[in-house]
Amino acid sequence: MDAKIAQFRDMIAGSDNIVFFGGAGVSTESGIPDFRSVDGLYNQKWKYPPETILSHSFFERYPEEYYRFHREKLVVEGVKPNRTHLRLAELEREGKLKAVITQNIDGLHQAAGSKNVLELHGSILRAYCSRCRKPYPSDIINKGAGVPRCGCGGVIRPDIVLYEEQLDQDILYKSANYIRNADVLIVGGTSLNVYPAAGLINYYRGNKLVLVNLSATPYDSEADLVINEKLGDVFSQV
C-alpha cells in the first residue's frame, strides 16, 4: 500500500494536467449510499426495482411512486463533502486538476469548492418543468410530499438523466476531450460497468491511468496503477 501511495503521489506531483473521473464510491464516505454494494439501493426491497423506478417511462406513468423513492432514497439531508471531494478541490486550486467528471448527482464536488465539474447524470439540486422547461429551485422536488407541478400543469422533475434517457451530448464531448488530453487520469469509486459513461475511459491516451476502487473493475488490466482501498484513505495521503 505504501509503495502504491508513493507512486500515486509522484504522479500527482509531476503533473499539471490531471483529470478525475468518479462514481458513487466518491460520496459513500459522506453517507450517500451507492447502488450496487451490499447496502446499496439495488439490494434494498421496494415494490419495483430501483432501476425501474429511476427510468423515464416509470416517471411518466407513476410520478407519485417515483417521488416517494426520490425523497426517501436520493435526498440525504445534512451531507457534506468528504476527504476525496476536498482534496480534489485543492488540486484544482493548485492548478493541477483540470476537470472533475462525475456520475454523481449530489453536488458535493461543487460544495467542496471544485469549479470545473462535468455532471454526466445531472443534479438533484436543479429542477425544471417536464412540459414547458421552466426552471425551479430544488426544494420543490426534494422536500414536501406528492407530485410537484408547474403553473402550466406539467410535472416538475429533477434535472437528472433517468434510465432510457440520453446523456447530454455536450457534456459527453467535453468529458471525452478532457480525458483524451489528460496526462494523469484518476478513476475512483466506480465499477466502470455503467455505459456510456464507463466508455469514456477508452479516450485516454496517456500512460498514467490510476484506478482507485474497493473492488476490481473491467479496466484493471489496462491501468498503470490499481489501488483497492477506500478513496478517502488514499486521497488523505496525496
Side-chain angles (χ1 to χ4, degrees):
M1 175 66 173
D2 289 344
K4 288 189 174 184
I5 291 295
Q7 184 181 352
F8 190 21
R9 193 182 292 126
D10 287 344
M11 287 182 179
I12 291 174
S15 177
D16 60 1
N17 186 10
I18 303 169
V19 171
F20 179 83
F21 174 41
V26 177
S27 293
T28 51
E29 193 176 309
S30 293
I32 297 178
D34 69 6
F35 278 69
R36 291 176 172 78
S37 68
V38 174
D39 299 316
L41 293 182
Y42 281 174
N43 291 309
Q44 297 176 13
K45 293 181 179 178
W46 284 79
K47 184 177 178 181
Y48 303 92
E51 194 169 46
T52 298
I53 298 173
L54 294 170
S55 67
H56 175 83
S57 55
F58 188 92
F59 179 85
E60 293 283 307
R61 293 180 65 188
Y62 308 110
E64 299 89 352
E65 186 71 11
Y66 168 83
Y67 269 111
R68 187 175 75 84
F69 180 89
H70 176 101
R71 293 181 179 122
E72 186 169 337
K73 290 299 177 185
L74 298 189
V75 180
V76 183
E77 295 291 341
V79 293
K80 296 181 179 180
N82 60 50
R83 295 176 292 176
T84 303
H85 297 112
L86 295 170
R87 182 60 180 131
L88 289 169
E90 284 181 353
L91 289 171
E92 184 184 58
R93 288 194 295 272
E94 292 167 8
K96 290 184 166 295
L97 186 72
K98 298 307 179 188
V100 168
I101 301 164
T102 181
Q103 299 176 76
N104 296 339
I105 58 174
D106 50 47
L108 287 177
H109 284 294
Q110 292 93 328
S114 290
K115 303 298 183 185
N116 192 23
V117 181
L118 299 168
E119 296 172 316
L120 294 171
H121 297 151
S123 173
I124 61 167
L125 302 182
R126 298 186 298 270
Y128 65 92
C129 173
S130 57
R131 181 183 295 174
C132 73
R133 311 289 293 187
K134 177 182 176 181
Y136 278 88
S138 61
D139 279 359
I140 201 166
I141 57 168
N142 295 336
K143 298 182 179 179
V147 179
R149 291 192 178 271
C150 176
C152 77
V155 174
I156 299 170
R157 58 163 289 172
D159 188 9
I160 63 176
V161 180
L162 298 169
Y163 289 103
E164 303 168 351
E165 296 178 337
Q166 288 191 338
L167 301 190
D168 184 293
Q169 294 303 300
D170 184 52
I171 292 176
L172 267 180
Y173 175 79
K174 288 179 179 177
S175 299
N177 228 22
Y178 275 113
I179 289 174
R180 182 186 294 111
N181 294 312
D183 173 34
V184 177
L185 175 61
I186 306 167
V187 180
T190 173
S191 62
L192 292 172
N193 283 316
V194 178
Y195 289 81
L200 285 170
I201 196 172
N202 294 316
Y203 286 95
Y204 182 59
R205 296 290 178 264
N207 59 1
K208 297 183 182 72
L209 172 59
V210 183
L211 299 186
V212 186
N213 199 51
L214 279 174
S215 57
T217 79
Y219 288 87
D220 283 9
S221 61
E222 299 178 30
D224 301 286
L225 177 62
V226 177
I227 304 177
N228 295 128
E229 301 287 342
K230 288 184 177 180
L231 274 167
D233 292 345
V234 173
F235 274 89
S236 64
Q237 298 181 69
V238 298

